[in-house]
Amino acid sequence: MAAADAVGEAVAESMTGVNSTALDAMRAATQPFLSRLEGATAGAEGAAKQLEDSSAWFSWKWLALTAAACAGVLLVCWLLFRGLVWWEGSNITELREQRSALLDQIAQDQITANALEKRVHGVRFVGAKDGDFIIAPRGFEAITCVGGVQCIKLK
């Protein structure tokens, strides 16, 4: 049994050497690949970080652009509103001036109408389907005028 133990020990020792050699060979063979893989992983992580930063910057940029566009629209609306209020105000001023001028004209026309009514004693001509008539509000009297012509004296 001692021989079996010695053989087992010798095989185990040689296997340890083979195992160590194989492991060293595997490490040497995979080292360039693993180095490149680590570099690619680091590059991918850097690219992911850069993409994340760019995305955050881009979203802030769009938010600022949207806010500026909204502010611009509000400014344009406010300016349009102010312009319309000014324009309507000038129209109202014109209408007030026209109203004042018309009221002055009505007052002048009323004065003229009153003067005419005094001159003609309120007499007016009215057309109807039966003919044309002279209306004398205070009445009249038929007399003979100068030259023997019939005339109407207003009272």
Side-chain angles (χ1 to χ4, degrees):
M1 205 74 181
D5 285 341
V7 168
E9 207 175 285
V11 169
E13 216 176 278
S14 76
M15 288 303 263
T16 302
V18 168
N19 188 16
S20 175
T21 305
L23 187 59
D24 289 342
M26 282 294 269
R27 281 187 184 148
T30 59
Q31 184 61 35
F33 175 73
L34 290 176
S35 295
R36 281 188 288 190
L37 186 60
E38 284 177 4
T41 304
E45 287 174 354
K49 176 69 173 148
Q50 187 177 10
L51 182 63
E52 184 180 310
D53 292 345
S54 296
S55 175
W57 177 82
F58 190 70
S59 66
W60 279 107
K61 181 181 175 184
W62 275 109
L63 178 65
L65 186 61
T66 302
C70 288
V73 167
L74 286 174
L75 178 66
V76 167
C77 288
W78 182 78
L79 288 173
L80 284 173
F81 176 73
R82 293 291 295 173
L84 287 174
V85 167
W86 171 81
W87 183 68
E88 286 297 322
S90 66
N91 283 348
I92 289 171
T93 302
E94 277 182 32
L95 290 173
R96 284 183 178 156
E97 290 171 358
Q98 287 177 0
R99 181 180 180 266
S100 177
L102 288 172
L103 287 175
D104 291 344
Q105 184 64 41
I106 289 171
Q108 186 62 39
D109 290 347
Q110 189 62 45
I111 291 170
T112 303
N114 290 340
L116 283 173
E117 191 173 332
K118 281 184 181 177
R119 272 182 79 195
V120 296
H121 302 283
V123 173
R124 63 184 187 274
F125 295 95
V126 176
K129 63 180 177 180
D130 296 342
D132 295 328
F133 299 93
I134 297 175
I135 306 273
R138 293 188 232 153
F140 64 91
E141 174 183 341
I143 61 168
T144 304
C145 294
V146 178
V149 178
Q150 291 275 331
C151 61
I152 298 173
K153 178 181 180 184
L154 299 175
K155 296 183 180 180

